[in-house]
Every structure is written in structure tokens, then in C-alpha cells.
Amino acid sequence: MVKGIKNKIFNETDILDQLAIKNRDELKEIIFQGSFLVNSIDFCEGYNYYELSLTIPTKDDYIVLKKDCDKEIGYWIKGEKAEIRKRKEKLVNDKKFLEFSERCHRGHLIAKQLKYYTKLGDFNFSKNDPKNIYPQWENANINRAYGTSIRGQAYFETEIIKWLQEGVELFYYVKPIFKEGQEDYPIGNILIAFEREYLSLSELTNDEKNKRFCVFIPNYLDITSLT
């Protein structure tokens, strides 16, 4: 049974240590190798994610999300279960977290609940699509894991759906970030959402700033909350 969990949240040093990253400078370099030029990176204490200011990709790399979407809902196919299983086993074994294997999820890059807000044709939203599924620890995947304030990827997906229900049209982008030589599982995912193209935050109105984010969700497990 998990006890005392609200007082046992990982700090930034713990997270980077688990990811085998020395410091923020090394993290910035890894993200840069993933095709992003990071201008600044700030750790959100207590929520356990990073806010980024970076040179963003072109609009062509994003998907468009909107409430009233003339869409063709992606179909569900069998996919490649063996590949998904291999990736998960690799992460669990590399971190030596065999006793916590149930805490390792098949994490969606593009969440299946977003399929109702975009036209992606035959995109496979199932849990067996290697193009969209990578192993993701519970802390990185769900929101407020173990009753803490930690914001996983689900928090930002919920915010997106809330804005879409308000009639906001969004550009959305998700990219897994890998350490060199390891592509079975990412060290985390970058999530970007905004209402329109922009070159800098100074171009956004205050309302637009409240409906956008550019974050890095580290792929870690807060084992102090499970012991």
C-alpha cells in the first residue's frame, strides 16, 4: 500500500538521475538533437515537468484540432503487439524496475480521445501502433499520480479537450525525445499546443497565452511513492 505519498515527490535532481542525464544543459542538448533549438528550459517544481521556449517546427508538422471537425475517424488494426511489448520490457529491465512493471504503460503520443477532434484518415489510435505508442511510466502518463500535484501528459490532453469544447481551434504537436542509441523508449515527450502560428511569446495576447503550452514531460517513475 502506498503511504505518505504527498510528502515524497521526486525533485528535479532525482528525475534527471533516473533519466541518466547530468543536468539541464545536457537535457537541452538531447532535445536539440531531437531537432529543437531550446532557448530556455524551466522546471516546474511540484508539477514535475519542464516549460520550454524553443524554435518551433513549421505548421506542416502539426495536426489541427477543432470541435466541429469533418473527420474520418482512424480505424483500429491489430498493429504490432510484439514490438510494443519489447519496448516496454526494455525500459523495465534497463531501469531494473521489475517489481514496478505494472506502472509502465503503453503511452500514446497522440491520445486516442483526440481522434474525435481531428481528421487523420487511417491513423491507428490503438494501443498496438508502434508509430504512436511508446512505454511511458505512470508519472509521465496520468495526471496527479498517487494523489500528488504531478502533471503527466493526461493533464495537458485534458486542457486541450477543454479548450476544444470552448470552440478554440488548436495546432498540436507531440514528439518523443530519445537519448542517442536508445530508441525503444523516450526520456520524455515534448507537447506543443497553440491557437495560431507565432514567432515569440510576445506576439501572443494574454488570452492566447492561457490556451497554449510548450512542455517536456520527463519519462520517469517516482519510486519513493511506491515504497
Side-chain angles (χ1 to χ4, degrees):
M1 180 176 293
V2 180
K3 298 181 179 179
I5 53 178
K6 292 188 178 182
N7 297 320
K8 301 176 68 177
I9 301 176
F10 265 25
N11 58 33
E12 181 183 14
T13 301
D14 295 326
I15 293 171
L16 292 178
D17 183 62
Q18 190 177 122
L19 298 180
I21 296 174
K22 296 177 183 177
N23 49 43
R24 286 189 205 177
D25 286 339
E26 183 178 356
L27 178 57
K28 287 174 64 175
E29 179 61 27
I30 295 172
I31 293 174
F32 172 73
Q33 293 171 1
S35 303
F36 291 98
L37 178 59
V38 181
N39 301 317
S40 67
I41 178 169
D42 297 300
F43 184 68
C44 295
E45 195 74 41
Y47 297 125
N48 291 18
Y49 69 90
Y50 289 87
E51 288 189 345
L52 306 177
S53 174
L54 46 74
T55 302
I56 64 175
T58 65
K59 190 175 71 173
D60 292 340
D61 294 323
Y62 291 78
I63 62 173
V64 176
L65 299 173
K66 55 185 177 180
K67 183 177 179 180
D68 298 317
C69 184
D70 181 17
K71 56 189 173 297
E72 299 171 3
I73 297 177
Y75 61 83
W76 295 69
I77 59 178
K78 291 183 178 180
E80 300 178 33
K81 291 184 178 180
E83 177 65 20
I84 303 299
R85 183 170 58 252
K86 184 199 78 170
R87 292 174 179 177
K88 179 178 177 180
E89 291 174 351
K90 178 68 173 172
L91 174 56
V92 170
N93 289 327
D94 282 358
K95 299 302 179 182
K96 298 181 173 59
F97 285 168
L98 296 179
E99 68 270 41
F100 304 122
S101 61
E102 292 184 358
R103 307 287 181 174
C104 187
H105 299 175
R106 289 180 290 181
H108 286 76
L109 297 180
I110 302 176
K112 60 183 179 182
Q113 58 264 39
L114 295 179
K115 70 180 181 179
Y116 301 106
Y117 299 94
T118 189
K119 183 175 180 179
L120 287 178
D122 61 358
F123 187 82
N124 180 16
F125 285 92
S126 78
K127 292 184 177 181
N128 300 311
D129 178 12
K131 295 179 180 178
N132 194 44
I133 299 292
Y134 283 96
Q136 190 175 44
W137 291 113
E138 201 165 40
N139 290 107
N141 190 22
I142 69 175
N143 187 36
R144 296 178 57 82
Y146 327 130
T148 67
S149 60
I150 295 171
R151 291 179 176 176
Q153 187 165 328
Y155 167 82
F156 298 95
E157 292 162 349
T158 299
E159 289 293 288
I160 283 176
I161 291 175
K162 180 182 71 177
W163 299 332
L164 293 173
Q165 286 296 317
E166 294 173 356
V168 175
E169 182 175 320
L170 294 172
F171 295 113
Y172 185 53
Y173 183 85
V174 183
K175 183 178 178 66
I177 301 298
F178 301 93
K179 291 190 71 174
E180 185 176 0
Q182 178 53 270
E183 295 189 354
D184 287 309
Y185 54 85
I187 61 168
N189 294 336
I190 286 180
L191 282 66
I192 305 174
F194 58 93
E195 287 191 81
R196 61 180 176 84
E197 281 191 291
Y198 63 90
L199 297 178
S200 68
L201 288 177
S202 62
E203 294 186 1
L204 295 178
T205 66
N206 287 332
D207 184 60
E208 285 176 316
K209 289 178 182 178
N210 291 330
K211 290 185 173 64
R212 57 83 59 194
F213 54 74
C214 182
V215 298
F216 173 76
I217 310 294
N219 191 13
Y220 78 103
L221 180 66
D222 182 2
I223 56 174
T224 66
S225 294
L226 300 172
T227 56

